[in-house]
Amino acid sequence: MSTMKAVVFKEPYKVSYEEVERPSDPQAGEAIVRVKACGLCGSDLHPYRGSEAGLRAGTVCGHEFAGTVEEVGAGVELVPGERVAASFTTACGTCWFCTHSLSSRCDNAQLFGWIDETNEGIHGGQAQFVRVPHADGTLMRLPKDVSFEEGVLLGDILSTGYFCAKNALTMLADSNIPPAQLSVAVIGCGPVGLCAVASARMLGFGQIFAIDRVQSRVDTAVKLGAQSQGYETANDGRGVDAVLEVVGAYEALKLSFEIVRMGGVVSSVGVHAHDKGFPVSPGQCYDKNVTFKSGRCPARSLMSEVSQLVKTTDVVRHIISHRVPLAAAAEMYEQFEAQKDGILKVVFDPWA
């Protein structure tokens, strides 16, 4: 049995850097990817904290990775040596949802780094190698001018931030207000929120307000084109035209409905792993004519489009705060969970 190094989930608040069995012998439709870079995502903290239960001990963590094709199974068009990035969920590329720009709801979708207690699921990408089902649908060939680090972000947080901002702009189309005259508040300026700020700027929103309780994150959002204050007076005090909620907290969603104007849009991509319910009633939405748009980002459907964002902004430079060996994963999980030392986005090198 050949082995590799990987980050393994043990129990809440405990992950371990270990020697595990290396994936091999790809089956039809599968590829084995040699991981060149992988990320630590905010949603990795849900099972880490125990707020999202059901992850089997021994599962290789992580759903953000990029690398090169090592081996392929029968019927796969990708060839060994090609540079690729993966979306955070698998996508067959042929079902109704995949062919209608909703790859996150693929009939065969599986989240990398999630194996449940019945042993259903797939291992993740915080490892030296990863098995990728539905390889041609899940993996995107990386353009020559897109790095592995950028590929890591393309498969999740960049696509999610873009999805959130684009949803808001699309829902406001009937208002006949030029994008340059629209205002948007971004609640939560972690990595996804910063990607949402950069996306809102690229899409042409005239005013972008950054809201976060961590001042350093607001400061970074300002560098990407946001304002640190003033959302209360937007539109002569009527409220902002749109709110992008990327936190996944009850309080953040509640604030979203409070500060959006009548007839505005709340676009939410935060993972709400809590049981507090919805902060407003149908009647309150009705009385304010608010449009609410939510859901898991169809990353694979957007990755090619979003690759242009990498080329037109310096968002990647501002987001990645830590580049470390994969062996440092346990320490990085602890620091990220506690938001220590200015930690924002961690990218691991599995071979360092």
Side-chain angles (χ1 to χ4, degrees), residues 12-89:
Y13 293 99
K14 185 177 181 181
V15 297
S16 177
Y17 178 67
E18 297 182 0
E19 195 99 7
V20 300
E21 183 177 359
R22 174 190 155 175
S24 61
D25 189 25
Q27 302 301 296
E30 294 182 345
I32 306 298
V33 171
R34 176 184 289 265
V35 179
K36 297 291 190 177
C38 51
L40 174 56
C41 181
S43 55
D44 289 328
L45 294 181
H46 295 306
Y48 180 75
R49 291 168 172 158
S51 58
E52 194 169 355
L55 181 61
R56 191 200 74 183
T59 300
V60 175
C61 303
H63 52 261
E64 299 178 334
F65 63 93
T68 56
V69 177
E70 185 79 1
E71 303 175 70
V72 296
V76 175
E77 294 181 5
L78 291 162
V79 298
E82 287 194 287
R83 300 169 67 253
V84 293
S87 54
F88 62 94
T89 58

Side-chain angles (χ1 to χ4, degrees), residues 62-268:
H63 52 261
E64 299 178 334
F65 63 93
T68 56
V69 177
E70 185 79 1
E71 303 175 70
V72 296
V76 175
E77 294 181 5
L78 291 162
V79 298
E82 287 194 287
R83 300 169 67 253
V84 293
S87 54
F88 62 94
T89 58
T90 62
C92 70
T94 58
C95 72
W96 190 92
F97 293 103
C98 283
T99 56
H100 287 79
S101 302
L102 198 58
S103 58
S104 55
R105 296 304 165 196
C106 170
D107 288 341
N108 301 287
Q110 293 179 292
L111 175 65
F112 283 103
W114 188 274
I115 298 178
D116 66 23
E117 292 165 349
T118 68
N119 211 35
E120 290 292 323
I122 55 177
H123 287 294
Q126 289 173 6
Q128 292 177 318
F129 295 91
V130 60
R131 182 185 302 276
V132 180
H134 307 289
D136 287 328
T138 302
L139 298 171
M140 184 188 85
R141 292 179 175 91
L142 281 178
K144 292 181 180 179
D145 55 353
V146 175
S147 69
F148 288 122
E149 281 188 349
E150 291 165 340
V152 168
L153 306 188
L154 273 179
D156 189 355
I157 66 170
L158 270 173
S159 293
T160 299
Y162 180 79
F163 175 65
C164 192
K166 187 178 181 181
N167 279 347
L169 187 61
T170 301
M171 294 296 103
L172 287 166
D174 289 342
S175 67
N176 294 317
I177 302 172
Q181 296 177 21
L182 291 171
S183 58
V184 59
V186 180
I187 299 181
C189 295
V192 177
L194 293 174
C195 290
V197 168
S199 298
R201 185 180 181 187
M202 187 183 76
L203 291 169
F205 278 92
Q207 284 186 303
I208 306 167
F209 300 100
I211 302 173
D212 197 293
R213 61 188 178 187
V214 180
Q215 186 59 43
S216 62
R217 295 186 172 192
V218 174
D219 294 341
T220 302
V222 170
K223 294 176 183 177
L224 290 168
Q227 299 172 225
S228 61
Q229 55 189 355
Y231 70 85
E232 302 93 339
T233 59
N235 291 318
D236 297 323
R238 290 189 298 274
V240 292
D241 297 295
V243 181
L244 312 184
E245 187 276 310
V246 299
V247 180
Y250 178 91
E251 295 76 13
L253 198 54
K254 182 174 184 291
L255 178 61
S256 300
F257 282 96
E258 291 172 354
I259 68 176
V260 72
R261 67 164 169 83
M262 291 185 182
V265 174
V266 173
S267 177
S268 172

Side-chain angles (χ1 to χ4, degrees), residues 283-294:
Q284 288 173 303
C285 291
Y286 177 91
D287 288 342
K288 206 170 181 179
N289 282 67
V290 171
T291 299
F292 178 66
K293 179 79 171 177
S294 184

